[in-house]
């Protein structure tokens, strides 16, 4: 069998990404934790994102069906003003930074993204949106590191920033024993609709 064979499925989600300056600001706050908790599985800074809809493993041929409807949605939506703020954890295993700013609009965007996805025939979970940026995961048996780091970050408030693009993202989960890496399948500018086109 040829190792270069293209996979039949890809793990997909739809997200917003903070700009580099916002990620760098948070990374500076995290620097002491990188040193004091080296066994944490830290996400790569370039992969930090705010998930709007997680689609899971999709057949590769399904992904193109999402492109035009998501492009249209992005074009019709104004950019949002968001900021990274505070920290917390899920189940003492997952460390996250919170999101502040236009949260009502963020929730509406996520709901509309999920509607678009369902209209394309792709199932998506109807869990309520909990806006966050996943930073790291603790290794098995480590029940204290995540809480300790979250406590240090609880007062963090980043400078506001404006969302620029809606991202359709794929990951290599299930195909590699190394760290998870994400790549844009495509991304569309928010609010890019020319009024004369509407």
């Amino acid at each position: 069998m040829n190792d270069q064979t293209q996979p039949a499925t890809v793990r997909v989600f739809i997200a917003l990404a903070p700009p580099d300056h916002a990620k760098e600001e948070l990374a500076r706050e995290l620097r002491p934790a990188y040193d004091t908790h080296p066994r944490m599985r830290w996400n790569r800074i370039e992969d930090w994102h705010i998930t709007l809809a997680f689609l899971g493993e999709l057949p590769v041929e399904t992904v193109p069906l999402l492109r035009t409807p998501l492009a249209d949605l992005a074009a019709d939506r104004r950019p949002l003003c968001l900021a990274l703020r505070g920290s917390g954890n899920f189940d003492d295993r997952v460390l996250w930074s919170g999101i502040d700013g236009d949260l009502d609009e963020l929730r509406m965007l996520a709901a509309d993204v999920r509607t678009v996805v369902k209209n394309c025939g792709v199932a998506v979970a109807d869990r309520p949106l909990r806006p966050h940026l996943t930073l790291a995961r603790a290794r098995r048996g480590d029940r204290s590191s995540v809480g300790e780091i979250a406590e240090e970050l609880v007062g963090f408030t980043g400078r506001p920033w404006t969302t620029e693009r809606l991202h359709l993202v794929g990951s290599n989960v299930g195909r590699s024993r190394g760290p998870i890496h994400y790549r844009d399948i495509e991304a569309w500018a928010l609010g890019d609709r020319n009024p004369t086109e509407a």
Side-chain angles (χ1 to χ4, degrees), residues 13-16 50-54 106 109-111 113-114 129 166:
F13 59 89
I14 298 157
L16 300 174
I50 303 162
T51 301
L52 301 177
F54 178 72
L106 181 62
L109 176 60
V113 162
R114 293 172 188 196
L129 182 71
L166 183 68

Side-chain angles (χ1 to χ4, degrees), residues 63-158:
V63 175
L65 303 177
L66 299 168
R67 286 188 158 116
T68 299
L70 287 172
D72 288 343
L73 175 62
D76 288 336
R77 282 313 179 84
R78 69 174 186 82
L80 307 178
C81 183
L82 301 175
L84 302 177
R85 181 172 185 159
S87 186
N89 70 83
F90 299 131
D91 302 322
D92 293 327
R93 292 283 315 276
V94 179
L95 175 71
W96 51 261
S97 175
I99 308 298
D100 203 0
D102 294 335
L103 296 183
D104 287 342
E105 290 89 342
L106 181 62
R107 288 186 177 92
M108 283 191 291
L109 176 60
D112 290 346
V113 162
R114 293 172 188 196
T115 297
V116 162
V117 168
K118 288 176 189 172
N119 289 344
C120 291
V122 177
V124 61
D126 271 331
R127 292 189 292 257
L129 182 71
R130 297 170 72 179
H132 68 279
L133 203 70
T134 299
L135 304 175
R137 288 173 174 77
R139 297 189 184 275
R140 288 195 192 285
D142 180 354
R143 305 294 288 180
S144 63
S145 293
V146 167
E148 291 167 7
I149 301 165
E151 188 66 32
E152 294 295 318
L153 287 175
V154 76
F156 172 74
T157 301

